[in-house]
Amino acid sequence: MEENKKFTVGKLISFIICLIGIGLCVLVGVMSIVDADGEISDIVWTEKALDEYRNNPDGFRVEYYKAYEDHYFTEDGYFSVSKIRYMPTVSQWQMTVRYNKSTIENLNYDYGLKLDTEDDNFTFALVDNTGKLYTDFEYRKTVKGRYTYYRIVVEDLSVIKLDEVGIRIYFTKDIKDGEYPEKSLAELPMYNSQMPRNEYKFKKELPEDDKPDKDLLPASELLK
C-alpha cells in the first residue's frame, strides 16, 4: 500500500509539472499574437519624421492620449483602434486598427456578404469635427492568428485648430472612383481637444540603422 501511495503522489507531481509546461506554452503562444511587437505598435519612421528628428532631436516630440492607449472598440466589438501617436512637429498621426476573423464572419451574416478573411475588405479615413475626410495614408498590414492589424500613418493633419479627430472604416467595395459614401461601416474616436496630451518616450523605437521604414504601402493598394 505504501508503494502505491508513493507512486500516486509521484504521478500527481508529474501531472502538475506537465500542466505548468502546457500553461507556459499557451502563454508563449498568446504573447506571440498580441500587439506587442514593432510591426503592430511601434512608431513607423517615415523619411519626413526621421529628418525632422535628426535636425531637431531636442525639440522633436511624440504625444499620446491615455484614453485611447489600449484598444478602444466599436459598440459591436468588431473593430478597435489603439496605440495612437501624434507627432506635432510634422503633424503626423499613427494608429493601429485591429479586427478578428469573427468580424468578417459576423459582417457576412449581418449584410449577406461573402467576404474572404484573407482579402483587404476595408479601407480607412480620418475625419475631423468639420466632417472633412483625410483619405491619403500609408499602412503596414500584419496578420497574427485570428487577428488582422493595420498600422496606419497619416501626414499633414494638425490638431491646432481642431476639436476632434476620429477614424472611419469603410468597405473597400463601397469606394467608387475615389468617392466615399456618407455613412461609414464604423467610426472610432482618436482625439478630443479637451483630452490631456502625454509625452511618449519614443527614443527606444528609433531605427537602429538610422533609416526610414520602406515597407509601407499607399492607401490605393487597398482599393485595387
Side-chain angles (χ1 to χ4, degrees):
M1 293 292 291
E2 186 65 27
E3 287 182 0
N4 286 340
K5 283 186 178 180
K6 288 182 179 179
F7 180 73
T8 302
V9 170
K11 285 181 67 177
L12 178 61
I13 293 173
S14 297
F15 180 70
I16 292 173
I17 292 173
C18 287
L19 282 180
I20 293 173
I22 292 171
L24 289 173
C25 290
V26 171
L27 179 62
V28 170
V30 170
M31 290 303 294
S32 71
I33 64 172
V34 298
D35 58 343
D37 68 12
E39 291 183 345
I40 294 167
S41 61
D42 283 357
I43 289 174
V44 176
W45 288 97
T46 63
E47 189 167 351
K48 182 178 180 180
L50 197 54
D51 282 346
E52 182 67 24
Y53 172 74
R54 292 192 194 108
N55 294 331
N56 186 19
D58 294 331
F60 191 88
R61 293 173 58 238
V62 178
E63 300 173 346
Y64 74 99
Y65 309 93
K66 284 186 177 179
Y68 307 136
E69 176 63 4
D70 295 317
H71 290 289
Y72 192 91
F73 289 90
T74 52
E75 288 186 9
D76 53 24
Y78 291 174
F79 300 93
S80 72
V81 64
S82 65
K83 310 301 179 187
I84 299 166
R85 308 285 180 251
Y86 176 59
M87 301 178 182
T89 51
V90 289
S91 301
Q92 185 188 103
W93 288 86
Q94 300 187 16
M95 73 292 307
T96 296
V97 173
R98 184 186 81 171
Y99 64 86
N100 194 302
K101 283 187 177 181
S102 63
T103 294
I104 305 297
E105 296 163 2
N106 289 330
L107 289 174
N108 280 338
Y109 177 81
D110 293 344
Y111 293 90
L113 302 173
K114 295 182 179 179
L115 303 175
D116 191 308
T117 57
E118 305 301 320
D119 291 343
D120 288 316
N121 298 294
F122 313 107
T123 190
F124 315 95
L126 296 197
V127 59
D128 64 27
N129 51 279
T130 70
K132 181 179 178 179
L133 288 181
Y134 303 82
T135 60
D136 190 18
F137 62 87
E138 293 182 299
Y139 71 95
R140 174 191 292 148
K141 180 182 179 181
T142 304
V143 178
K144 284 184 172 289
R146 289 185 60 83
Y147 286 100
T148 298
Y149 303 82
Y150 288 89
R151 188 68 178 158
I152 299 167
V153 180
V154 179
E155 303 274 11
D156 302 322
L157 175 52
S158 172
V159 299
I160 292 177
K161 296 182 179 179
L162 296 178
D163 293 325
E164 296 178 352
V165 175
I167 183 166
R168 288 182 178 176
I169 301 166
Y170 297 87
F171 283 122
T172 53
K173 67 180 183 63
D174 289 341
I175 312 302
K176 307 295 184 183
D177 299 322
E179 294 293 323
Y180 287 69
E182 284 190 23
K183 186 175 181 180
S184 61
L185 173 61
E187 183 172 339
L188 286 157
M190 290 188 359
Y191 164 79
N192 184 299
S193 60
Q194 304 304 311
M195 295 168 54
R197 304 185 200 179
N198 304 273
E199 187 170 353
Y200 182 70
K201 295 180 180 180
F202 63 87
K203 292 188 178 180
K204 63 183 180 296
E205 296 177 16
L206 284 166
E208 294 181 1
D209 58 3
D210 195 38
K211 294 180 180 179
D213 291 281
K214 296 293 187 181
D215 62 342
L216 295 178
L217 297 172
S220 58
E221 283 292 315
L222 296 174
L223 300 178
K224 287 185 175 180

